[in-house]
Amino acid sequence: MRNPFIMSCAVSRVAFSRVYAEVAKKLLEKGSLRAEDVAELEELYGDDARDAIDALVAAGAARRVGNRIEATDVDRLKRIARMR
């Protein structure tokens, strides 16, 4: 018998990696995300969008500059965007 908690975590992880890839793709397309762009992503993906941005910053693929998120490592962003 499978543990439903473990199964829900697995589904959640897959969903987050998709959001992570989508946010990376959006950042690659625009070069930087303004507060309005982040709000749009949050409408689509909820709190996972903010978590994905934090993960991109922690990975060194992006950085926070005031109220914008800028791409810093395009090669890393391209690899992340292909994850989905």
Side-chain angles (χ1 to χ4, degrees):
M1 183 168 160
R2 293 185 178 187
N3 184 336
F5 176 74
I6 293 173
M7 295 303 293
S8 70
C9 289
V11 169
S12 174
R13 186 173 303 140
V14 170
F16 178 74
S17 73
R18 176 177 229 155
V19 173
Y20 188 53
E22 288 295 323
V23 172
K25 182 179 171 187
K26 183 75 127 180
L27 187 54
L28 271 172
E29 289 172 1
K30 293 194 165 215
S32 69
L33 299 175
R34 297 177 311 191
E36 298 84 28
D37 299 321
V38 173
E40 180 182 317
L41 289 168
E42 285 179 335
E43 282 182 27
L44 290 171
Y45 304 114
D47 291 336
D48 284 344
R50 181 72 62 181
D51 294 341
I53 290 169
D54 292 341
L56 289 171
V57 170
R63 68 179 177 173
R64 295 182 189 279
V65 179
N67 63 350
R68 289 182 302 127
I69 309 299
E70 289 186 346
T72 56
D73 189 342
V74 175
D75 292 331
R76 186 170 290 175
L77 281 172
K78 285 179 182 175
R79 278 185 272 144
I80 293 167
R82 280 187 263 136
M83 282 175 46
R84 54 181 172 132

